[in-house]
C-alpha cells in the first residue's frame, strides 16, 4: 500500500489542512480533515475498493462470493476519548454476491453496507448489510476470532453468543441444494479445517429449543476477548425459515438448529413433513429422522440422481417413522453411498419393516 500527500498537525488546529491519497484493497483512498470537526482530529475518507481483495486479507475463502469494485466513504474520529471510532459505509454498487436468496445481489442493485469499529483494544465491530444481515465480530490480527450474526433484521449481541461463531434470525426461504452448492464452491475444504462456518445464537432461548450437546463449550466470561487461536465452535439457534426446499421439493415452514465443536457437530430440523437430526462425529455422518412424511413434499419436478449426489453426502440413515399423509408406512435404516464414480446411489446394511 502506498500513501502520499500532506499530513499537518498543530496543537490548536489538529489535522486541519491535511490531504492524503493512497492505495488499499485493490483501490484508492483519500483522507482529509472532516468538515465541522471542532478538535480538528477527525478525518473524512473517500475511495474505492475491490471486494475480491477482502477474502485473502482476512484469510476467509468463504468471502470470495463477493466480487466487483465499489465506492465508499468513512470517518476516522480521533477527538473525544471514549468516542474514538472508525466508520465506513457504501451502497455496494458494482458488487456482485454469488449467493442463494436472499443474499444474491447484482452489480446495479444498491445495498447499504455500514461498518463501525471502536478504536480500542479488542474492539467489537458492528457490520450491517441492509436489513439482510447484522454482525458483531472480533478479529485477532487478520483472523476472525469471534462472530455473532443475525438475518432478517433481528438485533445481534456478541455477548449472548456462547460459541465462537453464531447465527440466528428469520429467512423467508432457504434452498438446501443451492446452499450446499454455495458451501462446496466457497468453503468446502478437507476435514474440519474450514476457517469460517456460519453459526448462531439467539438473544435468549426460545420455547422448545433443544439443548446443546455435552461436548459444546461452556459459557464465556462477560468480557469479549480475541483469543488468537480459539477452538472452533458454532451454533445456530432457532433459525426460522418461511419455506425450506430441497431441489424442487417443498418442506414448508421449518426451524433449524445447529451446534458444533471441533470434530463434532449436530443439526436439527423440524417442519410439518420432517423432524430429525444430522450428526457428524470424527468425519462420520448419521441422519436420524424421527418423522418423515413423503406425502407432504408438495408438487415439483422429479429429483434426479445428479441432484441427490450433488446435495447429499454418504451417511448412515435411520427413519423411525415413515408416513404418507395419514398412512403409516413403517421404518427402516440403511447406509447411503453417494460417492461412487459410476453415478449410481447405493444403499447397504438395510434393516427395518415396511407395510
Amino acid at each position: 500500500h502506498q500513501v502520499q500527500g500532506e499530513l499537518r498537525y498543530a496543537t490548536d488546529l489538529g489535522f486541519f489542512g491535511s490531504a492524503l491519497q493512497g492505495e488499499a484493497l485493490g483501490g484508492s483512498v483519500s483522507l482529509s480533515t472532516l468538515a465541522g470537526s471542532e478538535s480538528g482530529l477527525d478525518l473524512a475518507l473517500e475511495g474505492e475498493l475491490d471486494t475480491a481483495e477482502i477474502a485473502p486479507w482476512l484469510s476467509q475463502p468463504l468471502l470470495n462470493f463477493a466480487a466487483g469494485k465499489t465506492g465508499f466513504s468513512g470517518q476516522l474520529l480521533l477527538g473525544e476519548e471514549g468516542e474514538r471510532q472508525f466508520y465506513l459505509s457504501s451502497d455496494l454498487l458494482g458488487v456482485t454476491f454469488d449467493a442463494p436468496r436472499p443474499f444474491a445481489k447484482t452489480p446495479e442493485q444498491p445495498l447499504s453496507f455500514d461498518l463501525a469499529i471502536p478504536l480500542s483494544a479488542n474492539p467489537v465491530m458492528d457490520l450491517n448489510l441492509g436489513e439482510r444481515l447484522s454482525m458483531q465480530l472480533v478479529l485477532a490480527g487478520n483472523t476472525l476470532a469471534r462472530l455473532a450474526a443475525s438475518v432478517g433484521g433481528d438485533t445481534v449481541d456478541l455477548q449472548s453468543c456462547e460459541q465462537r461463531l453464531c447465527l440466528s434470525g428469520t429467512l423467508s426461504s432457504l434452498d438446501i441444494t443451492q446452499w450446499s452448492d454455495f458451501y462446496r464452491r466457497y468453503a468446502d475444504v478437507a476435514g474440519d479445517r474450514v476457517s469460517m462456518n456460519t453459526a448462531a445464537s439467539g438473544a435468549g432461548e426460545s420455547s422448545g429449543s433443544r439443548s446443546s450437546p455435552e461436548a459444546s463449550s461452556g459459557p464465556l466470561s462477560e468480557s469479549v476477548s480475541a483469543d488468537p487461536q480459539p477452538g472452533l465452535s458454532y451454533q445456530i439457534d432457532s433459525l426460522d425459515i418461511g419455506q425450506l426446499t430441497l431441489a424442487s421439493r417443498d418442506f414448508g415452514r421449518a426451524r433449524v438448529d445447529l451446534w458444533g465443536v471441533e470434530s463434532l457437530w449436530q443439526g436439527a430440523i423440524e417442519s410439518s413433513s420432517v423432524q430429525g437430526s444430522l450428526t457428524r462425529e470424527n468425519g462420520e455422518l448419521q441422519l436420524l429422522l424421527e418423522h418423515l412424511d413423503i406425502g407432504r413434499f408438495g408438487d415439483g419436478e422429479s429429483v434426479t440422481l445428479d441432484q441427490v449426489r450433488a446435495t447429499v453426502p454418504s451417511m448412515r440413515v435411520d427413519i423411525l417413522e415413515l408416513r404418507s399423509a395419514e398412512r403409516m408406512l413403517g421404518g427402516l435404516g440403511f447406509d447411503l453411498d453417494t460417492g461412487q464414480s459410476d453415478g449410481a446411489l447405493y444403499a447397504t446394511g438395510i434393516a427395518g419393516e415396511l407395510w
Side-chain angles (χ1 to χ4, degrees), residues 175-188:
D175 189 309
I176 297 174
T177 305
Q178 292 179 4
W179 280 104
S180 177
D181 176 67
F182 173 83
Y183 181 84
R184 183 174 58 254
R185 287 185 290 119
Y186 293 115
D188 193 10

Side-chain angles (χ1 to χ4, degrees), residues 73-219:
S73 61
Q75 297 179 357
L76 184 60
L77 307 181
L78 303 173
E80 296 295 330
E81 187 173 357
E83 298 182 3
R84 292 168 184 166
Q85 297 261 353
F86 172 70
Y87 294 100
L88 188 72
S89 61
S90 173
D91 58 13
L92 297 183
L93 285 173
V95 174
T96 298
F97 286 174
D98 181 20
R101 294 183 305 163
F103 298 102
K105 181 189 175 304
T106 59
E108 65 276 4
Q109 182 181 20
L111 179 63
S112 62
F113 170 90
D114 296 286
L115 174 67
I117 306 176
L119 301 181
S120 59
N122 298 331
V124 177
M125 309 179 194
D126 284 281
L127 187 153
N128 291 284
L129 198 61
E131 294 186 356
R132 301 185 190 184
L133 180 68
S134 297
M135 294 194 300
Q136 289 190 334
L137 62 148
V138 175
L139 298 180
N142 287 347
T143 302
L144 182 66
R146 296 275 314 284
L147 181 146
S150 177
V151 294
D154 293 349
T155 58
V156 63
D157 180 13
L158 187 60
Q159 290 284 12
S160 69
C161 172
E162 296 184 355
Q163 310 297 336
R164 181 184 168 197
L165 304 171
C166 300
L167 174 69
S168 62
T170 303
L171 284 174
S172 59
S173 62
L174 187 148
D175 189 309
I176 297 174
T177 305
Q178 292 179 4
W179 280 104
S180 177
D181 176 67
F182 173 83
Y183 181 84
R184 183 174 58 254
R185 287 185 290 119
Y186 293 115
D188 193 10
V189 296
D192 291 306
R193 293 178 294 163
V194 180
S195 57
M196 184 173 113
N197 295 270
T198 39
S201 153
E205 293 187 3
S206 61
S207 60
S209 62
R210 305 168 188 258
S211 301
S212 301
E214 293 180 1
S216 61
S217 59

Side-chain angles (χ1 to χ4, degrees), residues 52-349:
E53 298 293 325
I54 297 176
W57 175 52
L58 293 177
S59 301
Q60 298 299 334
L62 185 62
L63 299 179
N64 282 315
F65 74 89
K69 290 188 174 182
T70 189
F72 66 87
S73 61
Q75 297 179 357
L76 184 60
L77 307 181
L78 303 173
E80 296 295 330
E81 187 173 357
E83 298 182 3
R84 292 168 184 166
Q85 297 261 353
F86 172 70
Y87 294 100
L88 188 72
S89 61
S90 173
D91 58 13
L92 297 183
L93 285 173
V95 174
T96 298
F97 286 174
D98 181 20
R101 294 183 305 163
F103 298 102
K105 181 189 175 304
T106 59
E108 65 276 4
Q109 182 181 20
L111 179 63
S112 62
F113 170 90
D114 296 286
L115 174 67
I117 306 176
L119 301 181
S120 59
N122 298 331
V124 177
M125 309 179 194
D126 284 281
L127 187 153
N128 291 284
L129 198 61
E131 294 186 356
R132 301 185 190 184
L133 180 68
S134 297
M135 294 194 300
Q136 289 190 334
L137 62 148
V138 175
L139 298 180
N142 287 347
T143 302
L144 182 66
R146 296 275 314 284
L147 181 146
S150 177
V151 294
D154 293 349
T155 58
V156 63
D157 180 13
L158 187 60
Q159 290 284 12
S160 69
C161 172
E162 296 184 355
Q163 310 297 336
R164 181 184 168 197
L165 304 171
C166 300
L167 174 69
S168 62
T170 303
L171 284 174
S172 59
S173 62
L174 187 148
D175 189 309
I176 297 174
T177 305
Q178 292 179 4
W179 280 104
S180 177
D181 176 67
F182 173 83
Y183 181 84
R184 183 174 58 254
R185 287 185 290 119
Y186 293 115
D188 193 10
V189 296
D192 291 306
R193 293 178 294 163
V194 180
S195 57
M196 184 173 113
N197 295 270
T198 39
S201 153
E205 293 187 3
S206 61
S207 60
S209 62
R210 305 168 188 258
S211 301
S212 301
E214 293 180 1
S216 61
S217 59
L220 300 172
S221 60
E222 291 185 2
S223 62
V224 177
S225 63
D227 182 355
Q229 292 182 329
L232 179 60
S233 61
Y234 42 93
Q235 179 183 1
I236 295 177
D237 186 12
S238 297
L239 181 65
D240 292 318
I241 301 168
Q243 183 180 31
L244 181 69
T245 57
L246 172 60
S248 61
R249 297 296 170 173
D250 183 10
F251 288 82
R253 180 175 294 276
R255 190 189 77 184
V256 173
D257 301 271
L258 175 71
W259 311 272
V261 288
E262 298 298 340
S263 60
L264 168 68
W265 61 255
Q266 184 178 65
I269 180 174
E270 184 174 349
S271 75
S272 60
S273 57
V274 63
Q275 180 176 337
S277 63
L278 179 65
T279 302
R280 179 178 182 179
E281 185 170 9
N282 298 322
E284 299 292 328
L285 281 172
Q286 180 176 4
L287 177 63
L288 175 63
L289 297 178
E290 302 169 25
H291 171 83
L292 177 63
D293 189 342
I294 59 176
R296 291 177 178 265
F297 285 3
D299 297 328
E301 300 176 2
S302 299
V303 179
T304 67
L305 288 181
D306 287 341
Q307 287 176 316
V308 175
R309 285 167 54 85
T311 306
V312 181
S314 299
M315 66 179 75
R316 175 65 188 180
V317 179
D318 289 294
I319 305 172
L320 303 185
E321 182 181 275
L322 181 64
R323 307 185 68 92
S324 178
E326 300 301 322
R327 182 184 175 189
M328 179 67 176
L329 301 179
L332 76 161
F334 54 90
D335 294 308
L336 177 65
D337 186 352
T338 63
Q340 296 299 318
S341 60
D342 60 5
L345 301 180
Y346 291 89
T348 59

Side-chain angles (χ1 to χ4, degrees), residues 5-24:
E6 288 187 303
L7 179 62
R8 302 178 179 179
Y9 179 79
T11 303
D12 55 341
L13 297 177
F15 294 115
F16 184 77
S18 296
L20 298 170
Q21 296 81 39
E23 298 177 358

